[in-house]
Amino acid sequence: GRKHDGKNGLLVYHPALMDAVRERHDIEASIELGLREDLFEVYLQPIVDLGTGRIAGFEALMRLSHPEQGMLPSSRVIEIAEETGLIGRIGERVLEKAIGHLKRLSALDGIESTYLALNLSPLQFEESLPTRLAALLLKHEIASTRIVIEITEAVLLADNPDMHMVMAHLSEFGCRIALDDFGTGYSSLSYLNRFQVDIVKIDQSFTRTLASDQPDVRRKSRMLIKGIRTISQQMGCAVVAEGIENKEQWLSLRRLGIDHGQGYLFSAPLSIDGLIEMLEEKSEVKHGLTSSERLEE
Ligand code: C2E
Ligand code: MG
Ligand code: MG
Ligand code: MG
């Protein structure tokens, strides 16, 4: 963490830079500790049918909590794990735990045919992935058609030579492919043409602006969402909206014809025990809306 001072040739330490170096080092150390001590957990967030409120699936989200520092920010953990190459080992743990969780959930009434959405980084598209996934599904007696693989444009941009073949194998095998954070990266639209995509996940930034206090911003985000929906559906893709935090956003998305959605309004990502407890208590999340909510609008 040293920076060359161009004026007098002295090496000076910049506090902000030192903080960044320390933060990175701490997270790297936590990842190594997490792998050694099996501290990686998988939380699940329900994805619901926006029309009925019923659960259609769950997104698996990695969680790493440090014994003293508590929960670490997942996006940073993933970023650093990708840079250091540790993502492969984390991904392996996440895959195993997530599928074990789906098995447990499948025992619950009304949850038998829900899907599991797994986030995968570019480096995880190894030749052996389909076989490893198949072995896990066989072990837990779970149909491959219940698996959704969420990728971002980074996966497609990385141009990993194995990726096309791996994606084709996963599709043949019955898994669906979801394009995550849609609408935020570069040339999103062209990917719908070049790859076999089954589900488009509209980025949460669009959901957020849908409830903006500026009417013009609200109107524009409705138009963008409508456009994404039309294109996606015409290409045969289902559409999922992310980051639904209030009823206004939910109702707007429903009016815009979006099939599914997820967000704090329905449920935050929960530990498996927390989720099972919630599903046993809150029947509306499991069994859909009450008739008054369904009719309201
Ligand atoms: P993502 O796949 O787009 O996941 C959605 C993120 O939105 C999650 O953040 C989730 O907790 C958060 N979220 C859900 N509902 C709401 C809401 O109503 N409002 C807001 N503001 N946020 C909401 P999280 O869990 O921190 O994960 C961040 C990112 O890290 C994920 O974005 C994904 O790209 C990556 N990630 C998480 N788990 C894994 C994993 O196991 N493997 C890989 N490769 N990446 C993962
Ligand atoms: Mg995702
Ligand atoms: Mg996303
Ligand atoms: Mg994201």
Side-chain angles (χ1 to χ4, degrees):
R2 284 181 295 183
K3 197 166 163 123
H4 199 260
D5 177 330
K7 273 173 272 166
N8 54 18
L10 283 177
L11 291 166
V12 291
Y13 290 89
H14 287 274
L17 187 61
M18 288 309 291
D19 285 348
V21 169
R22 199 169 296 121
E23 182 250 14
R24 201 199 144 83
H25 173 269
D26 286 351
I27 291 187
E28 214 176 306
S30 301
I31 293 173
E32 273 154 11
L33 181 73
L35 286 167
R36 263 199 320 277
E37 313 262 315
D38 194 22
L39 302 176
F40 283 91
E41 296 294 337
V42 175
Y43 275 36
L44 296 170
Q45 183 175 40
I47 298 168
V48 308
D49 180 314
L50 295 182
T52 62
R54 277 176 175 274
I55 295 180
F58 300 91
E59 178 172 5
L61 294 157
M62 181 282 301
R63 291 289 180 267
L64 173 59
S65 108
H66 185 276
E68 282 114 45
Q69 295 155 33
M71 203 79 95
L72 301 171
S74 296
S75 45
R76 281 297 286 153
V77 172
I78 296 290
E79 241 167 51
I80 291 166
E82 285 173 345
E83 284 165 21
T84 55
L86 292 165
I87 189 70
R89 289 169 63 202
I90 297 173
E92 198 63 30
R93 304 273 175 97
V94 168
L95 204 63
E96 263 194 68
K97 288 196 177 167
I99 291 171
H101 290 347
L102 182 65
K103 177 69 181 177
R104 271 187 73 189
L105 285 173
S106 301
L108 299 177
D109 176 37
I111 306 291
E112 305 87 350
S113 56
T114 50
Y115 67 82
L116 175 72
L118 297 157
N119 291 285
L120 292 188
S121 296
L123 289 170
Q124 295 180 261
F125 282 79
E126 293 175 297
E127 211 182 324
S128 62
L129 176 70
T131 324
R132 284 185 285 125
L133 179 62
L136 278 171
L137 294 174
L138 200 63
K139 177 176 152 196
H140 292 286
E141 302 175 286
I142 289 171
S144 54
T145 50
R146 291 181 68 194
I147 301 299
V148 169
I149 304 291
E150 290 196 4
I151 58 173
T152 58
E153 286 160 357
V155 172
L156 305 172
L157 278 171
D159 224 18
N160 170 346
D162 290 334
M163 188 205 68
H164 279 270
M165 191 199 58
V166 172
M167 280 185 49
H169 280 175
L170 291 169
S171 285
E172 271 167 45
F173 184 47
C175 300
R176 279 168 290 166
I177 308 286
L179 199 48
D180 206 350
D181 304 339
F182 190 80
T184 53
Y186 301 95
S187 54
S188 287
L189 289 173
S190 76
Y191 290 114
L192 291 177
N193 202 13
R194 290 197 279 142
F195 299 90
Q196 170 59 50
V197 176
D198 306 285
I199 299 169
V200 167
K201 294 190 78 172
I202 300 181
D203 191 70
Q204 55 187 47
S205 56
F206 295 98
T207 306
R208 202 175 305 124
T209 49
L210 208 49
S212 161
D213 44 20
Q214 292 165 268
D216 195 44
V217 173
R218 281 206 305 273
R219 193 178 56 85
K220 283 180 183 163
S221 60
R222 278 201 302 272
M223 280 161 47
L224 285 167
I225 291 171
K226 207 183 239 174
I228 294 173
R229 188 214 68 193
T230 304
I231 292 169
S232 304
Q233 289 178 346
Q234 281 175 355
M235 308 219 67
C237 300
V239 185
V240 178
E242 305 190 275
I244 306 173
E245 295 182 355
N246 57 55
K247 216 156 174 177
E248 185 191 345
Q249 292 166 330
W250 172 29
L251 295 178
S252 301
L253 288 161
R254 202 163 77 171
R255 271 195 297 269
L256 289 166
I258 305 303
D259 311 301
H260 293 159
Q262 63 192 100
Y264 300 153
L265 175 68
F266 304 107
S267 169
L270 297 172
S271 68
I272 182 65
D273 292 330
L275 178 64
I276 290 175
E277 198 176 304
M278 192 268 285
L279 292 173
E280 280 166 352
E281 272 170 25
K282 281 180 68 180
S283 70
E284 71 269 24
V285 180
K286 195 168 86 183
H287 294 295
L289 306 172
T290 60
S291 51
S292 67
E293 276 176 310
R294 229 175 285 142
L295 295 173
E296 190 188 318
E297 222 177 302

mmCIF file with all atom_site columns, all heavy atoms in Angstrom, residues 88-102:
data_model
loop_
_atom_site.group_PDB
_atom_site.id
_atom_site.type_symbol
_atom_site.label_atom_id
_atom_site.label_alt_id
_atom_site.label_comp_id
_atom_site.label_asym_id
_atom_site.label_entity_id
_atom_site.label_seq_id
_atom_site.pdbx_PDB_ins_code
_atom_site.Cartn_x
_atom_site.Cartn_y
_atom_site.Cartn_z
_atom_site.occupancy
_atom_site.B_iso_or_equiv
_atom_site.pdbx_formal_charge
_atom_site.auth_seq_id
_atom_site.auth_comp_id
_atom_site.auth_asym_id
_atom_site.auth_atom_id
_atom_site.pdbx_PDB_model_num
ATOM 1   N N   . GLY A 1 88  ? -13.994 -20.830 -6.291 1.00 0.00 ? 88  GLY A N   1
ATOM 2   C CA  . GLY A 1 88  ? -14.296 -22.216 -6.631 1.00 0.00 ? 88  GLY A CA  1
ATOM 3   C C   . GLY A 1 88  ? -14.626 -23.032 -5.391 1.00 0.00 ? 88  GLY A C   1
ATOM 4   O O   . GLY A 1 88  ? -15.625 -23.762 -5.347 1.00 0.00 ? 88  GLY A O   1
ATOM 5   N N   . ARG A 1 89  ? -13.791 -22.876 -4.352 1.00 0.00 ? 89  ARG A N   1
ATOM 6   C CA  . ARG A 1 89  ? -14.005 -23.647 -3.120 1.00 0.00 ? 89  ARG A CA  1
ATOM 7   C C   . ARG A 1 89  ? -15.244 -23.165 -2.376 1.00 0.00 ? 89  ARG A C   1
ATOM 8   O O   . ARG A 1 89  ? -15.975 -23.951 -1.788 1.00 0.00 ? 89  ARG A O   1
ATOM 9   C CB  . ARG A 1 89  ? -12.755 -23.573 -2.237 1.00 0.00 ? 89  ARG A CB  1
ATOM 10  C CG  . ARG A 1 89  ? -11.597 -24.378 -2.843 1.00 0.00 ? 89  ARG A CG  1
ATOM 11  C CD  . ARG A 1 89  ? -10.294 -24.106 -2.141 1.00 0.00 ? 89  ARG A CD  1
ATOM 12  N NE  . ARG A 1 89  ? -10.344 -24.515 -0.733 1.00 0.00 ? 89  ARG A NE  1
ATOM 13  C CZ  . ARG A 1 89  ? -9.536  -24.028 0.205  1.00 0.00 ? 89  ARG A CZ  1
ATOM 14  N NH1 . ARG A 1 89  ? -8.634  -23.104 -0.096 1.00 0.00 ? 89  ARG A NH1 1
ATOM 15  N NH2 . ARG A 1 89  ? -9.628  -24.461 1.446  1.00 0.00 ? 89  ARG A NH2 1
ATOM 16  N N   . ILE A 1 90  ? -15.491 -21.855 -2.410 1.00 0.00 ? 90  ILE A N   1
ATOM 17  C CA  . ILE A 1 90  ? -16.696 -21.320 -1.758 1.00 0.00 ? 90  ILE A CA  1
ATOM 18  C C   . ILE A 1 90  ? -17.931 -21.846 -2.498 1.00 0.00 ? 90  ILE A C   1
ATOM 19  O O   . ILE A 1 90  ? -18.889 -22.318 -1.887 1.00 0.00 ? 90  ILE A O   1
ATOM 20  C CB  . ILE A 1 90  ? -16.702 -19.770 -1.775 1.00 0.00 ? 90  ILE A CB  1
ATOM 21  C CG1 . ILE A 1 90  ? -15.528 -19.222 -0.981 1.00 0.00 ? 90  ILE A CG1 1
ATOM 22  C CG2 . ILE A 1 90  ? -18.024 -19.223 -1.245 1.00 0.00 ? 90  ILE A CG2 1
ATOM 23  C CD1 . ILE A 1 90  ? -15.362 -17.709 -1.075 1.00 0.00 ? 90  ILE A CD1 1
ATOM 24  N N   . GLY A 1 91  ? -17.860 -21.774 -3.829 1.00 0.00 ? 91  GLY A N   1
ATOM 25  C CA  . GLY A 1 91  ? -18.979 -22.204 -4.653 1.00 0.00 ? 91  GLY A CA  1
ATOM 26  C C   . GLY A 1 91  ? -19.368 -23.648 -4.394 1.00 0.00 ? 91  GLY A C   1
ATOM 27  O O   . GLY A 1 91  ? -20.551 -23.999 -4.368 1.00 0.00 ? 91  GLY A O   1
ATOM 28  N N   . GLU A 1 92  ? -18.366 -24.473 -4.199 1.00 0.00 ? 92  GLU A N   1
ATOM 29  C CA  . GLU A 1 92  ? -18.583 -25.892 -3.918 1.00 0.00 ? 92  GLU A CA  1
ATOM 30  C C   . GLU A 1 92  ? -19.398 -26.069 -2.628 1.00 0.00 ? 92  GLU A C   1
ATOM 31  O O   . GLU A 1 92  ? -20.365 -26.823 -2.576 1.00 0.00 ? 92  GLU A O   1
ATOM 32  C CB  . GLU A 1 92  ? -17.206 -26.544 -3.771 1.00 0.00 ? 92  GLU A CB  1
ATOM 33  C CG  . GLU A 1 92  ? -17.192 -28.034 -3.911 1.00 0.00 ? 92  GLU A CG  1
ATOM 34  C CD  . GLU A 1 92  ? -17.641 -28.498 -5.289 1.00 0.00 ? 92  GLU A CD  1
ATOM 35  O OE1 . GLU A 1 92  ? -17.435 -27.763 -6.280 1.00 0.00 ? 92  GLU A OE1 1
ATOM 36  O OE2 . GLU A 1 92  ? -18.220 -29.579 -5.347 1.00 0.00 ? 92  GLU A OE2 1
ATOM 37  N N   . ARG A 1 93  ? -19.012 -25.322 -1.588 1.00 0.00 ? 93  ARG A N   1
ATOM 38  C CA  . ARG A 1 93  ? -19.737 -25.388 -0.303 1.00 0.00 ? 93  ARG A CA  1
ATOM 39  C C   . ARG A 1 93  ? -21.162 -24.871 -0.458 1.00 0.00 ? 93  ARG A C   1
ATOM 40  O O   . ARG A 1 93  ? -22.107 -25.443 0.084  1.00 0.00 ? 93  ARG A O   1
ATOM 41  C CB  . ARG A 1 93  ? -19.050 -24.499 0.762  1.00 0.00 ? 93  ARG A CB  1
ATOM 42  C CG  . ARG A 1 93  ? -17.605 -24.809 0.998  1.00 0.00 ? 93  ARG A CG  1
ATOM 43  C CD  . ARG A 1 93  ? -17.425 -25.900 2.041  1.00 0.00 ? 93  ARG A CD  1
ATOM 44  N NE  . ARG A 1 93  ? -16.030 -26.249 2.152  1.00 0.00 ? 93  ARG A NE  1
ATOM 45  C CZ  . ARG A 1 93  ? -15.213 -25.758 3.088  1.00 0.00 ? 93  ARG A CZ  1
ATOM 46  N NH1 . ARG A 1 93  ? -15.666 -24.908 3.988  1.00 0.00 ? 93  ARG A NH1 1
ATOM 47  N NH2 . ARG A 1 93  ? -13.941 -26.112 3.118  1.00 0.00 ? 93  ARG A NH2 1
ATOM 48  N N   . VAL A 1 94  ? -21.280 -23.752 -1.184 1.00 0.00 ? 94  VAL A N   1
ATOM 49  C CA  . VAL A 1 94  ? -22.595 -23.123 -1.366 1.00 0.00 ? 94  VAL A CA  1
ATOM 50  C C   . VAL A 1 94  ? -23.538 -24.088 -2.091 1.00 0.00 ? 94  VAL A C   1
ATOM 51  O O   . VAL A 1 94  ? -24.684 -24.284 -1.681 1.00 0.00 ? 94  VAL A O   1
ATOM 52  C CB  . VAL A 1 94  ? -22.470 -21.784 -2.136 1.00 0.00 ? 94  VAL A CB  1
ATOM 53  C CG1 . VAL A 1 94  ? -23.831 -21.268 -2.580 1.00 0.00 ? 94  VAL A CG1 1
ATOM 54  C CG2 . VAL A 1 94  ? -21.762 -20.731 -1.272 1.00 0.00 ? 94  VAL A CG2 1
ATOM 55  N N   . LEU A 1 95  ? -23.011 -24.721 -3.133 1.00 0.00 ? 95  LEU A N   1
ATOM 56  C CA  . LEU A 1 95  ? -23.808 -25.653 -3.933 1.00 0.00 ? 95  LEU A CA  1
ATOM 57  C C   . LEU A 1 95  ? -24.339 -26.786 -3.054 1.00 0.00 ? 95  LEU A C   1
ATOM 58  O O   . LEU A 1 95  ? -25.530 -27.096 -3.055 1.00 0.00 ? 95  LEU A O   1
ATOM 59  C CB  . LEU A 1 95  ? -22.918 -26.212 -5.039 1.00 0.00 ? 95  LEU A CB  1
ATOM 60  C CG  . LEU A 1 95  ? -23.570 -26.733 -6.298 1.00 0.00 ? 95  LEU A CG  1
ATOM 61  C CD1 . LEU A 1 95  ? -24.298 -25.604 -6.999 1.00 0.00 ? 95  LEU A CD1 1
ATOM 62  C CD2 . LEU A 1 95  ? -22.508 -27.317 -7.242 1.00 0.00 ? 95  LEU A CD2 1
ATOM 63  N N   . GLU A 1 96  ? -23.443 -27.375 -2.294 1.00 0.00 ? 96  GLU A N   1
ATOM 64  C CA  . GLU A 1 96  ? -23.832 -28.497 -1.436 1.00 0.00 ? 96  GLU A CA  1
ATOM 65  C C   . GLU A 1 96  ? -24.872 -28.098 -0.410 1.00 0.00 ? 96  GLU A C   1
ATOM 66  O O   . GLU A 1 96  ? -25.874 -28.782 -0.219 1.00 0.00 ? 96  GLU A O   1
ATOM 67  C CB  . GLU A 1 96  ? -22.609 -29.026 -0.700 1.00 0.00 ? 96  GLU A CB  1
ATOM 68  C CG  . GLU A 1 96  ? -21.995 -30.217 -1.378 1.00 0.00 ? 96  GLU A CG  1
ATOM 69  C CD  . GLU A 1 96  ? -21.011 -30.921 -0.470 1.00 0.00 ? 96  GLU A CD  1
ATOM 70  O OE1 . GLU A 1 96  ? -21.445 -31.522 0.546  1.00 0.00 ? 96  GLU A OE1 1
ATOM 71  O OE2 . GLU A 1 96  ? -19.819 -30.834 -0.785 1.00 0.00 ? 96  GLU A OE2 1
ATOM 72  N N   . LYS A 1 97  ? -24.612 -26.960 0.254  1.00 0.00 ? 97  LYS A N   1
ATOM 73  C CA  . LYS A 1 97  ? -25.538 -26.525 1.305  1.00 0.00 ? 97  LYS A CA  1
ATOM 74  C C   . LYS A 1 97  ? -26.883 -26.125 0.727  1.00 0.00 ? 97  LYS A C   1
ATOM 75  O O   . LYS A 1 97  ? -27.930 -26.463 1.278  1.00 0.00 ? 97  LYS A O   1
ATOM 76  C CB  . LYS A 1 97  ? -24.935 -25.369 2.107  1.00 0.00 ? 97  LYS A CB  1
ATOM 77  C CG  . LYS A 1 97  ? -23.816 -25.868 2.995  1.00 0.00 ? 97  LYS A CG  1
ATOM 78  C CD  . LYS A 1 97  ? -23.428 -24.910 4.087  1.00 0.00 ? 97  LYS A CD  1
ATOM 79  C CE  . LYS A 1 97  ? -22.358 -25.600 4.932  1.00 0.00 ? 97  LYS A CE  1
ATOM 80  N NZ  . LYS A 1 97  ? -21.665 -24.704 5.839  1.00 0.00 ? 97  LYS A NZ  1
ATOM 81  N N   . ALA A 1 98  ? -26.857 -25.418 -0.383 1.00 0.00 ? 98  ALA A N   1
ATOM 82  C CA  . ALA A 1 98  ? -28.114 -24.936 -0.978 1.00 0.00 ? 98  ALA A CA  1
ATOM 83  C C   . ALA A 1 98  ? -28.999 -26.107 -1.389 1.00 0.00 ? 98  ALA A C   1
ATOM 84  O O   . ALA A 1 98  ? -30.212 -26.092 -1.152 1.00 0.00 ? 98  ALA A O   1
ATOM 85  C CB  . ALA A 1 98  ? -27.809 -24.033 -2.172 1.00 0.00 ? 98  ALA A CB  1
ATOM 86  N N   . ILE A 1 99  ? -28.397 -27.127 -1.976 1.00 0.00 ? 99  ILE A N   1
ATOM 87  C CA  . ILE A 1 99  ? -29.197 -28.270 -2.419 1.00 0.00 ? 99  ILE A CA  1
ATOM 88  C C   . ILE A 1 99  ? -29.704 -29.070 -1.215 1.00 0.00 ? 99  ILE A C   1
ATOM 89  O O   . ILE A 1 99  ? -30.843 -29.538 -1.208 1.00 0.00 ? 99  ILE A O   1
ATOM 90  C CB  . ILE A 1 99  ? -28.415 -29.103 -3.457 1.00 0.00 ? 99  ILE A CB  1
ATOM 91  C CG1 . ILE A 1 99  ? -28.310 -28.254 -4.735 1.00 0.00 ? 99  ILE A CG1 1
ATOM 92  C CG2 . ILE A 1 99  ? -29.085 -30.449 -3.736 1.00 0.00 ? 99  ILE A CG2 1
ATOM 93  C CD1 . ILE A 1 99  ? -27.412 -28.798 -5.792 1.00 0.00 ? 99  ILE A CD1 1
ATOM 94  N N   . GLY A 1 100 ? -28.898 -29.140 -0.184 1.00 0.00 ? 100 GLY A N   1
ATOM 95  C CA  . GLY A 1 100 ? -29.361 -29.757 1.071  1.00 0.00 ? 100 GLY A CA  1
ATOM 96  C C   . GLY A 1 100 ? -30.557 -28.993 1.642  1.00 0.00 ? 100 GLY A C   1
ATOM 97  O O   . GLY A 1 100 ? -31.530 -29.593 2.117  1.00 0.00 ? 100 GLY A O   1
ATOM 98  N N   . HIS A 1 101 ? -30.497 -27.664 1.572  1.00 0.00 ? 101 HIS A N   1
ATOM 99  C CA  . HIS A 1 101 ? -31.609 -26.831 2.064  1.00 0.00 ? 101 HIS A CA  1
ATOM 100 C C   . HIS A 1 101 ? -32.877 -27.083 1.245  1.00 0.00 ? 101 HIS A C   1
ATOM 101 O O   . HIS A 1 101 ? -33.969 -27.186 1.787  1.00 0.00 ? 101 HIS A O   1
ATOM 102 C CB  . HIS A 1 101 ? -31.273 -25.337 1.971  1.00 0.00 ? 101 HIS A CB  1
ATOM 103 C CG  . HIS A 1 101 ? -30.213 -24.892 2.942  1.00 0.00 ? 101 HIS A CG  1
ATOM 104 N ND1 . HIS A 1 101 ? -29.790 -25.657 3.997  1.00 0.00 ? 101 HIS A ND1 1
ATOM 105 C CD2 . HIS A 1 101 ? -29.503 -23.727 3.014  1.00 0.00 ? 101 HIS A CD2 1
ATOM 106 C CE1 . HIS A 1 101 ? -28.860 -24.988 4.657  1.00 0.00 ? 101 HIS A CE1 1
ATOM 107 N NE2 . HIS A 1 101 ? -28.664 -23.814 4.093  1.00 0.00 ? 101 HIS A NE2 1
ATOM 108 N N   . LEU A 1 102 ? -32.708 -27.174 -0.088 1.00 0.00 ? 102 LEU A N   1
ATOM 109 C CA  . LEU A 1 102 ? -33.877 -27.393 -0.943 1.00 0.00 ? 102 LEU A CA  1
ATOM 110 C C   . LEU A 1 102 ? -34.535 -28.728 -0.575 1.00 0.00 ? 102 LEU A C   1
ATOM 111 O O   . LEU A 1 102 ? -35.758 -28.850 -0.555 1.00 0.00 ? 102 LEU A O   1
ATOM 112 C CB  . LEU A 1 102 ? -33.491 -27.372 -2.428 1.00 0.00 ? 102 LEU A CB  1
ATOM 113 C CG  . LEU A 1 102 ? -34.658 -27.541 -3.412 1.00 0.00 ? 102 LEU A CG  1
ATOM 114 C CD1 . LEU A 1 102 ? -35.628 -26.363 -3.336 1.00 0.00 ? 102 LEU A CD1 1
ATOM 115 C CD2 . LEU A 1 102 ? -34.167 -27.706 -4.855 1.00 0.00 ? 102 LEU A CD2 1
#
